[in-house]
Amino acid sequence: MHTVAVLALDQVIPFDLSTPIEVFSRTRLPDGRPGYQVRVCAERDEIDAGAFAVRAPWGLEGLVGADTVVVPGVAEPTAPLPPGVRDALRAAAAAGTRIASICVGTFPLAATGLLDGLRVTTHWAAAALLAAIHPALDVDPDVLYVDNGQFLTSAGAAAGLDLCLHMIRRDYGSAVAADAARLSVMPLEREGGQAQFIVHDHVPTPHGSELEALLTWLRENLARDLTLTDIAARAGTSTRTLIRRFRDQTGTTPLQWLHRARIRQAQHLLETTAHSVERIGHQVGFASPTTFRDRFKRTTGVSPQTYRRTFA
C-alpha cells in the first residue's frame, strides 16, 4: 500500500489540509482494497488551523518511509520554515520520496531549496511574490499543477484536487483515478489552466498620471479598430514615446494593454449577458469571431464557451 504523509504546518489552511486526506483515504483499487494509507504529521502536538486546532497523530517521524509527502498551504506563506521541518523534508527528498505542495504550500517547500531551478506553480495571486522571494524558481502562474517527477506543485484550492488525482493516476492508472474523481465529483481532466480564474485587471496607474486620460479613452473605445498610430495620435505623441511611457507606467505595450482590456471586458460580458460569442467578440473590438476565440483561449486557457459555462 502507498503511504501518504500530509504535513500540517502552523497556520495550515484547512481546505488544503483536508483535500489530500479525503482524496487519498477514499481511493479504492479494483478489488476494493484501499490504495493509500494516510498519515497526518506535524512538528508539534497541536497545530493552529485558524478556526480550530489540529492534533496530528504523527510527528515528523511520520515522513520517514512515506512514499509521498504533501505540503498544504499556510495562512502566512512567507513565515520562516522551522529548521526541524526543513531537515525532515530534505531527508525525505534524499530518500527518494515524492513531495507535492498544494496552493501556497509551494512557499515552505521552496524554502528548503529543493525546488531551485525547477518550474513550479502556486495560487495565481501569490505567484509574483513567490518569484520575488525565490528567484531560482521558474514560476508558471497559468497552470493547475506542475509535475517534475519527484517534486510536484499545484495552484490554489481546487487545483489541489487536480494534483491528487494526477498522482493517483501515476500510481494506479486511469481507471482508479477516474473512480476517485467521481467520488470527488470532479472531472479527471479539467480543460484549461489557472489563467481562466485570474482577474485580469488593468495595471494600476497613479491618479493624475499622463496616461490616465488615454487609458480611460481606450476603455471607452474597445470596440474600435485601433492601431498603434491611432493611439499615439490620441495621446498627441510619437509611437516611440507612447511605447516608452506605457512600459514605464503600466509595464506593458499599448497594444498588449488593449488586448488584455478587451479580453477582460469579454469575460465580464460572458459572465453577465446572454449575448452570443460572435456578438461579444465584435463588442470588444474583434472583427473576426475566429480571431476572438483564438485570442481568448491564448489569454485564459479555455474557449469563450467553456468560460461561460464555468462562470456565468
Side-chain angles (χ1 to χ4, degrees):
M1 186 186 299
H2 193 111
T3 299
V4 176
V6 182
L7 179 59
L9 298 173
D10 199 38
Q11 288 288 307
V12 66
I13 297 172
F15 188 96
D16 295 354
L17 176 67
S18 64
T19 294
I21 295 172
E22 285 296 300
V23 174
F24 289 119
S25 295
R26 295 178 182 275
T27 299
R28 292 293 179 269
L29 302 183
D31 61 4
R33 290 181 297 117
Y36 297 90
Q37 176 193 52
V38 178
R39 304 172 181 170
V40 180
C41 309
E43 185 184 29
R44 302 195 311 273
D45 290 340
E46 186 169 289
I47 293 296
D48 181 5
F52 54 88
V54 173
R55 295 189 64 85
W58 292 79
L60 294 180
E61 76 279 357
L63 275 62
V64 179
D67 300 287
T68 298
V69 172
V70 179
V71 183
V74 290
E76 297 293 338
T78 60
L81 187 65
V85 174
R86 179 197 60 211
D87 294 344
L89 288 171
R90 286 179 173 172
T97 303
R98 180 174 66 186
I99 304 179
S101 64
I102 293 177
C103 193
V104 291
T106 307
F107 282 78
L109 183 54
T112 65
L114 294 170
L115 301 180
D116 286 0
L118 297 179
R119 176 170 166 261
V120 302
T121 193
T122 187
H123 192 291
W124 62 266
L129 179 61
L130 179 66
I133 295 175
H134 299 285
L137 307 184
D138 176 12
V139 181
D140 186 343
D142 293 335
V143 295
L144 295 175
Y145 59 83
V146 176
D147 183 349
N148 287 293
Q150 184 180 8
F151 303 108
L152 303 91
T153 55
S154 77
L161 279 167
D162 295 284
L163 179 61
C164 290
L165 293 172
H166 171 72
M167 289 191 284
I168 293 170
R169 182 166 51 188
R170 271 184 46 175
D171 295 337
Y172 293 114
S174 295
V176 173
D179 183 61
R182 282 191 291 271
L183 286 173
S184 299
V185 197
M186 277 280 293
L188 185 54
E189 287 281 357
R190 278 201 288 166
E191 184 179 358
Q194 202 177 177
Q196 63 187 301
F197 303 102
I198 299 173
V199 178
H200 290 281
D201 289 331
H202 306 301
V203 177
T205 303
H207 179 71
S209 74
E210 57 187 329
L211 285 183
E212 183 180 8
L214 179 62
L215 297 183
T216 299
W217 179 80
L218 286 172
R219 293 188 190 103
E220 294 171 350
N221 289 274
L222 295 178
R224 291 182 55 182
D225 182 17
L226 295 172
T227 67
L228 185 60
T229 302
D230 295 330
I231 300 172
R234 175 70 186 188
T237 188
S238 68
T239 56
R240 178 176 296 182
T241 300
L242 178 70
I243 292 171
R244 177 177 55 77
R245 288 177 181 171
F246 253 81
R247 286 203 179 277
D248 289 345
Q249 297 183 42
T250 71
T252 187
T253 69
L255 292 182
Q256 287 172 338
W257 189 97
L258 182 61
H259 285 313
R260 191 171 70 172
R262 285 171 167 162
I263 295 303
R264 182 66 192 97
Q265 179 63 12
Q267 289 176 301
H268 174 71
L269 293 172
L270 287 165
E271 294 167 14
T272 59
T273 75
H275 297 170
S276 68
V277 170
E278 291 76 11
R279 178 178 174 182
I280 290 174
H282 181 73
Q283 284 177 282
V284 297
F286 291 92
S288 163
T290 300
T291 302
F292 169 57
R293 288 187 174 92
D294 289 346
R295 173 69 66 172
F296 191 94
K297 188 163 188 176
R298 285 203 305 273
T299 303
T300 67
V302 295
S303 67
Q305 292 92 336
T306 298
Y307 184 89
R308 169 170 272 166
R309 286 197 301 269
T310 304
F311 295 104

